[in-house]
Amino acid sequence: MSSKLLLTSVCRPFGGPGEGDSVGAELFHAQVTRAQGPFSLRQTIRVWALDYLAENLTVPTVALHYPSRRELIAELRRGDYTHVGINFVVATFHKVRAMTALIRRYAPRAKIILGGYGTVLPDEVLGPYADYVCREEGIRFLRRLFGEPEDAPLSVPYAPIPSVAVLSHQQGNVVGHVTAGLGCTNGCDFCCTSHFFKQKYVRFLETGRDIFEALVSARERAAREGLRMESHVIIDEDFFLHQKRAREFLDCVRESGEVFSLMGFGSVRGLSLYSAREIAEMGFTLVWNAFEGKRAGYEKQRGRSYPELYRGLRAVGCAQLTSMIIGFPYQDEALIRAEFEELMALEPALTQILIYFAFPGTPFHAQVVSEGRYRPEFRAAPDLRRWDGFAMHFEHPKFKDPSEIERLQLQLYESDFRRLGPSIMRLSQVWLEGARTLEHDESPLLRRRAERLRDDARAALPVLAAIDRFPPSEPVREAAQRLRADIVRQSGALSLAEKIASEAAPLLYRRAHLLTRARLLQQPGLLRLSYRTADSERSADTKQIFRLQGGRFAGLARMLRDDVENGLAARAGRLSAALPAWLRDVAVTSPAPASLATVTARATGMQPSLG
């Protein structure tokens, strides 16, 4: 029998009973702009690992991004699959248990493959739910499993996502994506990403020219298909540390005159290897950078001072998404608040605040286990649904009640919003400042960047009108008014279309507020892609990616039906046995296995792949 592979994310809905709001298909709204209400940045992030795996095999493959259980069952019934692979994280393991039950019921001959960062869980936990467990770079693993050449060239998939939506308004632009490499050599004690790959870097694209050509290729394909790709994400844990490749990329940009708008990831150590102008020439308009804690002592924090680094990048229109960690052993509430004040003085455009976390497979997990510091309830029966960076699981010398630090985390997110305002406004401020700095620069490339930055800042005008009506604080209202005046002064009066959009923005705010409170149309929709199958050509239509944004594009009636079903399932509880079969498939989750206690009782390190 010929092999046929189904690759899938975990099933929606996200945020169900017992699940943390930080785990889902969105990154910004779930972990960064979560306190910003209707001003939150909404963008469904596809599971790019599935795209890379499917693109780089020869076996017929179907990839499902965010199916409902109903949609997964339909796919299993019609697909005649020999293998089913599930990508998951620790906090979604409960979904994996439910999905494996469905696979064994509806596709009993299929072998189950588990992959993703959730596989840091030990074999005794994962073994009953899998025939194979991939704890390494997945392309080589699957090629080996299916008898394909492991060292065959790697192909970069065309895998755009919809642009960011604000106030529930979705533009028709798309965002490109390129993975330059996996893993991180920094080796921070809490970091699953670094220790999953044993502090080694797995290079996907060898040269800077490879990265440059992948970005251009994605944009050109989008244009051929009638879509505008105005920005890209480069996935690489610390892009700037790989200096030879990054400088070759810079040379390619200078040579071509391309003006990119890039989001990437960089440490203080990596960013300090370049001037702000060089980072601007590369095209970065947003960099995710780690503030962590002032006394955390990580090597990646060494380099220019944060104020110097941030001032230089802001001046050329490169905003910062800054992550802070609270709950280090040296921190009490006063120290956390003092460090937060230093972070606020940097005025990051976006802020992530996570609780120091003992993730399986990391040195910090081994330390917490060896010291017996897990709280009694987590030693007896760890609830992995809250292993998400938003819960305190172990004894802390300065916080006796874990709810204290969890409340403090929420207060800091809210304070960030009240003081600095919506992130879309903060991004616009940085981009307008960069436009002013570079508009008369001697470099033609940077002068064109100034024009692009000014246009990007101007796109926020309607949102600024909504901030004026619904500000989180009076200082933010005044800042929005000043920014609006600055944009008009530098780039001209509002067009008729911009005036209409500005008048409509407060209405969009109210709509977004109501939908969020009612938990309607907040889930992603299914994106189904086929590779080397009879319907591959039909599934390749790029415009299907807008289905990721849920009911707005995936079929309003179907998504509303899902919302109703999910609400019923959430309320079913102990009555699950009495539910009709169609709703039981939506609602039922297999009970937590007793073996979960090993997660907090024993440090296993990173085990090898299974099978």
Side-chain angles (χ1 to χ4, degrees), residues 483-551:
L483 177 59
R484 186 177 175 86
D486 286 345
I487 292 172
V488 170
R489 185 164 49 251
Q490 290 192 47
S491 57
L494 274 67
S495 67
L496 178 60
E498 288 171 330
K499 290 178 180 178
I500 294 172
S502 295
E503 290 296 324
L507 298 177
L508 293 177
Y509 177 95
R510 292 187 182 278
R511 183 183 74 170
H513 178 69
L514 291 172
L515 289 175
T516 303
R517 289 198 63 181
R519 301 181 74 88
L520 293 174
L521 305 183
Q522 302 299 297
Q523 297 290 333
L526 170 66
L527 175 63
R528 180 186 186 275
L529 298 170
S530 296
Y531 299 77
R532 301 166 296 278
T533 66
D535 62 345
S536 294
E537 184 173 346
R538 178 168 54 85
S539 81
D541 180 6
T542 303
K543 294 179 182 177
Q544 291 192 65
I545 67 164
F546 288 99
R547 295 178 178 177
L548 290 170
Q549 295 293 64

Side-chain angles (χ1 to χ4, degrees), residues 105-140:
R105 177 178 175 184
Y106 294 103
R109 294 184 299 173
K111 301 292 186 181
I112 298 175
I113 311 165
L114 298 184
Y117 291 125
T119 62
V120 297
L121 296 172
D123 284 348
E124 54 262 54
V125 173
L126 299 182
Y129 304 95
D131 298 286
Y132 306 97
V133 178
C134 173
R135 296 189 178 99
E136 59 189 272
E137 190 279 302
I139 295 173
R140 285 178 173 268

